[in-house]
Amino acid sequence: MSGGSRKPRIGALGTGWIGRDRLRAVAATGLCEIVAICDPCEDAATETLASHPLAERLDDLQAMLGSDLDGVMIATPSARHAAEALQCLERGVAVFCQKPLGRDAEEVRRVLDAARRADRLLGVDHSYRRARAFEAAAENVRSGALGDVHAAELVFHNVYGPGKPWFLDRAQSGGGCLIDLGSHLVDMLFHVLGRREVVQIAAHLSAAGQPLTPETEAVEDFALAQIVLQGAVAAQLACSWHSNLGQDAVIRATFHGTKASVTAENVGGSFYDFRAEQFDSTRRDLLFEGTDDWGGRMAVDWARTLAAGAGYDTEAEDFARSARLLDGLYGCHMSASTTGLPAGDARPAALAR
């Protein structure tokens, strides 16, 4: 970061509701100066400038990178994430990006390599990590209170679907509900259980109730995955769009140990309110429940680290691990569909890269 001890100068690329929310959280810390925004949508740009009147609206990323920025917050469609992050990092500008960082593991690897070469901070908005209920569940696991963890169940079912057409175009999105919602589950799995190697995977992906094949044009709206991690930890992940739930969403992460289990889950179908509980036989202990403005915390963590002058953080390698697993799940489903084998017989070749 240039300019001695001055505050980092931040630009916002993409100012839809999530971009504005993360920008609001960063601005509220007073750690950074919001100096530039870029969004082709007039309404989004106008609303953002009303909240950040000192920022200048610029036409494109190249113009932003010419305005002496220290960091860029990216909240554009998924197809652009990797290329835009690369442009920033190659100009020596730190990046905070909405997930997914890339549409596949190769795109993610290129971004990580650029961040390492430039020694610039790279963050991805895996926001559920910082909800207090999920933090409480993670601490419960790491403390040893559960004993030896041997299984995990993670779900993210959504009664709605994505609101923009590009989500349904595989070339732009990288996939359907698995990369959209399942990426949160994969990140949570590794975040809580650590950097365990993946031993075996199986997956079933479907659209409108029919299994995906290589010829299917639609992206999946239902995904079920089985994963075995080093240490004989079995995990099951399930996610979907347009589910019949009787409520807006079901979001839950459960970890089973030899002594107890812990669950973090949404309350009353909410996308925002969560509670965490520990279970010991028929006993249940509440770990957290209440109002929790968690959405912008990952962005604030990034801003705080940037303001402290930090460069590349090796924890970003976790993004590559998650991307390889997602690639493997997509690949093993398609392999099983092509060969006619049960999905569990497909080997996770993508994980070896």
Side-chain angles (χ1 to χ4, degrees):
M1 186 173 67
S2 60
S5 59
R6 68 167 171 80
K7 294 180 180 180
R9 291 167 52 86
I10 301 298
L13 183 64
T15 58
W17 78 264
I18 197 166
R20 293 195 302 273
D21 181 78
R22 296 340 186 216
L23 197 62
R24 173 198 59 78
V26 167
T29 68
L31 294 168
C32 304
E33 296 180 358
I34 312 303
V35 299
I37 71 159
C38 177
D39 197 306
C41 175
E42 198 68 35
D43 289 344
T46 299
E47 185 171 344
T48 306
L49 289 172
S51 300
H52 308 282
L54 299 181
E56 179 183 7
R57 184 182 181 186
L58 300 174
D59 291 336
D60 53 33
L61 178 56
Q62 288 305 313
M64 291 180 70
L65 293 175
S67 59
D68 190 26
L69 296 179
D70 299 297
V72 170
M73 299 175 66
I74 298 173
T76 56
S78 297
R80 294 163 47 185
H81 288 179
E84 290 167 343
L86 277 170
Q87 289 180 65
C88 295
L89 294 165
E90 288 170 353
R91 293 284 292 272
V93 176
V95 167
F96 180 78
C97 188
Q98 287 304 306
K99 59 83 190 167
L101 181 58
R103 291 166 291 181
D104 56 36
E106 180 57 33
E107 284 193 341
V108 172
R109 174 50 57 191
R110 289 200 295 269
V111 176
L112 289 173
D113 288 346
R116 190 184 305 104
R117 285 194 302 268
D119 191 24
R120 287 299 179 265
L121 187 65
L122 172 64
V124 175
D125 194 16
H126 291 298
S127 52
Y128 289 94
R129 283 190 186 189
R130 295 290 275 113
R132 289 197 179 106
F134 287 99
E135 287 183 325
E139 176 56 32
N140 196 255
V141 171
R142 295 170 188 147
S143 71
L146 304 187
D148 295 326
V149 174
H150 58 84
E153 300 171 279
L154 301 99
V155 301
F156 196 149
H157 295 303
N158 186 344
V159 76
Y160 309 105
K164 296 184 179 179
W166 63 262
F167 276 97
L168 305 178
D169 181 346
R170 190 180 307 280
Q172 296 188 68
S173 62
C177 64
L178 179 59
I179 197 168
D180 178 35
L181 306 179
S183 60
H184 285 301
L185 306 181
V186 168
D187 177 72
M188 186 61 62
L189 182 68
F190 286 133
H191 180 61
V192 174
L193 296 182
R195 297 171 179 175
R196 298 172 186 251
E197 293 300 318
V198 177
V199 176
Q200 187 176 11
I201 59 174
H204 173 79
L205 311 177
S206 62
Q210 297 300 310
L212 259 63
T213 69
E215 293 76 32
T216 305
E217 293 186 5
V219 296
E220 75 281 357
D221 57 22
F222 184 91
L224 179 65
Q226 294 176 312
I227 302 159
V228 179
L229 300 177
Q230 179 185 11
V233 178
Q236 181 170 286
L237 278 62
C239 58
S240 62
W241 296 327
H242 304 297
S243 287
N244 300 302
L245 305 173
Q247 57 187 25
D248 287 342
V250 174
I251 308 169
R252 183 173 61 250
T254 301
F255 297 89
H256 300 285
T258 53
K259 295 181 179 178
S261 298
V262 68
T263 290
E265 63 183 348
N266 64 326
V267 178
S270 174
F271 287 100
Y272 306 104
D273 299 329
F274 295 89
R275 65 168 165 254
E277 296 178 283
Q278 179 181 312
F279 307 116
D280 180 357
S281 186
T282 59
R283 175 177 172 175
R284 57 198 306 158
D285 295 312
L286 184 65
L287 303 178
F288 175 83
E289 183 173 18
T291 302
D292 181 22
D293 185 15
W294 51 271
R297 287 188 186 136
M298 289 293 288
V300 168
D301 291 346
W302 173 82
R304 186 174 291 114
T305 306
L306 181 64
Y312 182 70
D313 186 343
T314 57
E315 287 192 7
E317 296 298 323
D318 290 344
F319 307 147
R321 184 182 301 271
S322 293
R324 288 196 301 271
L325 178 52
L326 288 169
D327 274 11
L329 293 173
Y330 278 113
C332 91
H333 169 84
M334 289 304 181
S335 174
S337 298
T338 301
T339 62
L341 293 172
D345 288 342
R347 292 295 177 256
L351 301 176
R353 293 201 300 267

